[in-house]
């Protein structure tokens, strides 16, 4: 197992697609939320941070329409028209990189030395769920030189299926294995995790989710997900968070909270948590 006694980055921050875009309106950014995201990293002297953002209303529609997540071949041969899926990958990437450009532009305007980085250039998956290749040299050097890398969920090449979707959450899981951050903060549009969708009557906030040594959790959750979301929604996020905590044996702290809140900056910068307003994923 990786040695987590030497943390190579302070924090990896996930800016949820639902928080930084209006997810039900195609390619519509939430400008105020993006400005709030920039404020997380301003005046930091930047320190060693990595930002990863979801796609939200950028990319998900295209990926679903063209079947990018499943690719165009399997062990028996072609499963979909190659050109159609390839064009879907290109359109998906055009869309998600638009959002990346919007975030990086705002960060730079706020005086943050942010650089956009696309996983397509560095990652090749194998049957979607595992990695065939990951080149982290440029990312590592960028952090060492004092830049804030801003990555995103992306459409990537896949050895088995031709192409696939690499969501921001599994990307963070991979980054944790390499950089061993002190903490990972997932920032969404609500105050952490609830026992059912938070807009439902009777929804109760869950301040802590405990992961046991085999990676299971005892908390019962009922969640909802947008029909065009190809990355797993909130349950995918929780599963990813649990694996990070399990793999690090709790050495990497994991929190889920709200981007546009009074506590998000302290949480990202200093690890100061407010259990009544966020959710911590803990190792038992």
């Amino acid at each position: 197992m990786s040695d987590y006694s030497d943390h190579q980055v302070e924090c990896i921050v996930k800016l949820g697609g639902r928080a930084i875009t209006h997810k039900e309106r195609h390619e519509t950014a939430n400008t105020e939320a993006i400005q709030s995201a920039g404020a997380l990293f301003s005046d930091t002297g930047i320190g060693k941070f990595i930002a990863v953002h979801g796609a939200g209303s950028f990319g998900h529609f295209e990926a679903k329409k063209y079947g990018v997540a499943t690719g165009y071949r399997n062990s028996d041969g072609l499963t979909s028209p190659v050109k159609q899926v390839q064009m879907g990958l290109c359109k998906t990437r055009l869309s998600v990189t638009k959002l990346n450009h919007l975030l990086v532009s705002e960060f730079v305007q706020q005086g943050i030395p942010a650089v956009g980085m696309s996983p397509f250039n560095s990652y090749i998956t194998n049957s979607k769920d595992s990695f065939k290749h990951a080149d982290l040299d440029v990312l590592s050097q960028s952090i060492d030189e004092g830049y804030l890398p801003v990555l995103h969920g992306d459409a990537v090449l896949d050895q088995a299926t031709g192409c696939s979707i690499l969501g921001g959450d599994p990307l963070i899981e991979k980054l944790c294995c390499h950089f061993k951050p002190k903490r990972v903060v997932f920032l969404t549009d609500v105050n952490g995790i609830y026992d059912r969708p938070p807009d439902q009557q009777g929804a109760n906030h869950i301040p802590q989710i405990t992961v046991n040594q085999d990676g299971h959790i005892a908390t019962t959750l009922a969640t909802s997900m947008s029909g065009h979301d190809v990355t797993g929604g909130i349950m995918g996020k929780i599963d990813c968070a649990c694996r990070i905590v399990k793999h690090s044996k709790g050495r990497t702290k994991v929190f889920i909270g709200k981007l546009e809140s009074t506590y998000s900056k302290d949480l990202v910068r200093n690890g100061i948590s407010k259990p009544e307003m966020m959710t911590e994923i803990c190792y038992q």
Side-chain angles (χ1 to χ4, degrees):
M1 194 190 83
S2 299
D3 179 10
Y4 278 75
S5 61
D6 180 21
H7 299 283
Q8 296 181 36
V9 300
E10 180 74 21
C11 182
I12 298 177
V13 183
K14 169 66 184 300
L15 304 169
R18 187 175 289 278
I20 60 173
T21 74
H22 298 286
K23 199 162 184 180
E24 305 302 331
R25 290 153 52 189
H26 185 235
E27 292 193 347
T28 306
N30 184 336
T31 305
E32 291 183 359
I34 291 174
Q35 290 171 348
S36 296
L40 298 174
F41 305 103
S42 61
D43 332 310
T44 57
I46 192 68
K48 293 189 175 183
F49 293 83
I50 300 173
V52 179
H53 67 83
S57 61
F58 291 73
H60 280 293
F61 292 94
E62 291 80 2
K64 185 174 180 63
K65 177 179 178 180
Y66 292 95
V68 178
T70 55
Y72 47 79
R73 66 170 180 254
N74 59 24
S75 57
D76 297 324
L78 296 179
T79 58
S80 300
V82 176
K83 184 66 176 293
Q84 175 180 308
V85 181
Q86 287 178 331
M87 292 306 298
L89 178 145
C90 296
K91 292 179 179 181
T92 299
R93 297 207 67 252
L94 278 173
S95 187
V96 297
T97 53
K98 284 180 189 176
L99 180 59
N100 184 257
H101 181 76
L102 288 173
L103 266 86
V104 172
S105 295
E106 175 61 32
F107 290 6
V108 170
Q109 187 173 336
Q110 292 191 32
I112 302 161
V115 287
M117 294 188 177
S118 291
F120 181 87
N121 302 326
S122 304
Y123 291 88
I124 297 174
T125 55
N126 186 19
S127 298
K128 296 175 285 187
D129 296 325
S130 62
F131 289 86
K132 168 66 178 175
H133 175 74
D135 185 352
L136 299 175
D137 289 348
V138 174
L139 176 58
S140 297
Q141 183 70 18
S142 298
I143 295 168
D144 289 343
E145 294 293 343
Y147 294 97
L148 171 68
V150 184
L151 289 75
H152 57 88
D154 205 356
V156 297
L157 300 178
D158 187 280
Q159 186 181 39
T161 63
C163 63
S164 67
I165 295 296
L166 174 56
D169 295 340
L171 174 59
I172 286 175
E173 189 177 347
K174 184 70 174 178
L175 293 172
C176 284
C177 292
H178 183 83
F179 291 103
K180 302 180 279 291
K182 290 183 181 178
R183 59 190 170 276
V184 174
V185 177
F186 293 89
L187 294 174
T188 68
D189 60 340
V190 295
N191 287 309
I193 302 299
Y194 293 74
D195 61 356
R196 68 195 71 183
D199 57 353
Q200 288 187 8
Q201 186 175 2
N204 297 304
H205 175 254
I206 300 172
Q208 187 177 94
I209 294 175
T210 301
V211 183
N212 59 29
Q213 293 183 10
D214 62 7
H216 294 140
I217 62 174
T219 309
T220 300
L221 304 170
T223 64
S224 60
M225 183 174 71
S226 298
H228 55 266
D229 194 327
V230 293
T231 59
I234 191 64
M235 280 311 302
K237 188 181 308 299
I238 294 169
D239 288 344
C240 173
C242 290
R243 287 192 298 270
I244 292 169
V245 169
K246 176 179 178 253
H247 182 77
S248 70
K249 292 189 174 180
R251 295 179 182 89
T252 291
K253 305 296 183 184
V254 179
F255 303 93
I256 302 174
K258 187 175 182 179
L259 170 59
E260 294 184 274
S261 65
T262 57
Y263 60 79
S264 58
K265 190 167 186 174
D266 269 345
L267 180 60
V268 168
R269 299 265 288 273
N270 305 308
I272 299 173
S273 64
K274 293 188 176 182
E276 71 277 9
M277 300 179 71
M278 63 183 70
T279 301
E280 181 176 3
I281 312 296
C282 301
Y283 185 72
Q284 189 174 48

